[in-house]
Amino acid sequence: MPHSSHAKRTVGFIGLGVMGSSMAQHLLDAGCRLRVHTRTAARAQAFLDQGAVWCATPSQTAQGSEAVISIVGFPADVEEIYLGENGILAQAAPDTLLIDMTTSSPTLARRIAEEAASRHCHALDAPVSGGDIGAREARLSIMAGGTVEAFERAYPLLQLMGSNIVRQGPAGSGQHTKMANQIAIAAVMLGVCESMAYASRAGLDPAAVLRSISGGAAGSWSLSNLAPRILAGDFAPGFYVKHFLKDMRIALDSAAELGLETPGLALAYQMYERLSQFPGGAELGTQGLYHLYAKQPAAPDPAASSEK
């Protein structure tokens, strides 16, 4: 049954990829009337079949919508859909709520918020963490930056998509928080892949090793959710390598602006950059980093090479 509080809400939604499609579905299931736009129009068909309205441009999603939500690929995409000639702010009526859930630049988030305020709209940068599983199960962690008023207005919609929703501060704070999140993940993914590669190279059963270590001090979301995919040979993207590289580049630039050295992040970026150079590497999920370890030649057996 649709939630009565959402049954008559008209919401624009831009970006129906791995994450966005599940997030938009939760809004539809709650009874929201959706106006959708996505770069690959075929991805919208399932939503049109459920009554959503197709919009040919980002600006059209704002027409008649009390809120517009976006989750796209790169900061350049965010800038285009909000500030471009056919962007959201070109058509958004005063008092429209704008929620960008893309992982993007803190500086760009502040620019959008300032432009929105000049047009009497309310902007929130609200990037997410939790991958395809979190999006599908509406258990995303949502990190928000913006005014208290914008956050309070957005909260009922955010609740439909996430379970850990925190306002971190003014515009740009959500993006800064997501950078902290990605910095933590970057180092963890190195550890997850190295751990599974080590277990395999040592002749252990990696699945048994995973059962032992995932519940102890080594435990993490990535170990519990992505290591099993590695062991199953599943490298499909819950989160693309190409998008993780984008996030780490933003984090490296932001850290440099803050005067902070991040050697762990820099190493992870270098490793993922290497992976992206392989055919199809950029389109893998972040667990695809394991390929760099699996392809390393084994050390020669000392016993086999010793003189008789």
Side-chain angles (χ1 to χ4, degrees):
M1 289 290 291
H3 296 257
S4 59
S5 60
H6 299 289
K8 295 185 178 180
R9 302 191 78 170
T10 299
V11 178
F13 200 100
I14 300 175
L16 298 171
V18 171
M19 303 277 287
S21 57
S22 292
M23 296 160 70
Q25 187 62 54
H26 294 312
L27 299 177
L28 265 181
D29 291 344
C32 293
R33 296 179 295 198
L34 290 192
R35 297 174 58 80
V36 298
H37 173 77
T38 194
R39 181 174 294 171
T40 306
R43 286 182 177 167
Q45 191 57 53
F47 296 92
L48 305 186
D49 292 343
Q50 296 176 77
V53 174
W54 170 252
C55 298
T57 64
S59 63
Q60 288 183 13
T61 65
Q63 296 172 11
S65 296
E66 63 179 271
V68 179
I69 297 171
S70 58
I71 180 162
V72 293
F74 296 87
D77 301 320
V78 174
E79 185 170 14
E80 176 76 16
I81 66 173
Y82 280 92
L83 304 174
E85 185 177 345
N86 291 310
I88 295 164
L89 282 165
Q91 292 291 334
D95 211 36
T96 303
L97 177 63
L98 311 175
I99 308 171
D100 181 39
M101 306 185 80
T102 313
T103 298
S104 183
S105 155
T107 302
L108 178 58
R110 288 192 295 269
R111 276 183 57 204
I112 291 170
E114 289 166 4
E115 183 64 23
S118 75
R119 296 170 184 256
H120 306 288
C121 294
H122 309 274
L124 202 69
D125 52 288
V128 301
S129 181
D132 57 333
I133 297 171
R136 191 163 57 246
E137 298 179 356
R139 292 191 294 102
L140 291 169
S141 178
I142 302 175
M143 313 153 213
T147 65
V148 172
E149 179 184 0
F151 179 72
E152 290 179 347
R153 286 186 56 190
Y155 195 80
L157 289 171
L158 300 179
Q159 278 188 304
L160 299 176
M161 299 175 282
S163 58
N164 180 19
I165 307 163
V166 180
R167 176 182 177 267
Q168 297 289 342
S173 299
Q175 298 297 352
H176 275 306
T177 304
K178 184 60 186 287
M179 291 305 103
N181 183 85
Q182 300 305 72
I183 290 169
I185 288 175
V188 168
M189 285 307 300
L190 291 176
V192 167
C193 293
E194 289 180 11
S195 173
M196 292 298 96
Y198 179 89
S200 178
R201 190 64 63 91
L204 302 171
D205 175 358
V209 172
L210 183 59
R211 287 197 298 274
S212 288
I213 70 175
S214 59
S220 69
W221 187 96
S222 296
L223 192 66
S224 296
N225 289 276
L226 297 182
R229 295 191 191 189
I230 290 171
L231 301 186
D234 176 7
F235 299 100
F239 187 60
Y240 285 104
V241 166
K242 61 185 178 183
H243 290 158
F244 195 34
L245 277 168
K246 174 261 298 184
D247 294 355
M248 288 190 286
R249 184 71 264 166
I250 295 170
L252 285 165
D253 291 344
S254 293
E257 290 172 7
L258 296 170
L260 178 68
E261 291 187 16
T262 52
L265 174 63
L267 176 59
Y269 182 83
Q270 292 170 13
M271 294 287 284
Y272 275 100
E273 181 66 24
R274 275 179 57 194
L275 177 62
S276 74
Q277 301 306 310
F278 289 96
E283 304 298 321
L284 297 174
T286 53
Q287 70 274 22
L289 186 67
Y290 182 77
H291 287 308
L292 295 188
Y293 297 94
K295 291 179 178 179
Q296 293 178 20
D301 183 350
S305 61
S306 61
E307 294 183 5
K308 304 296 184 185

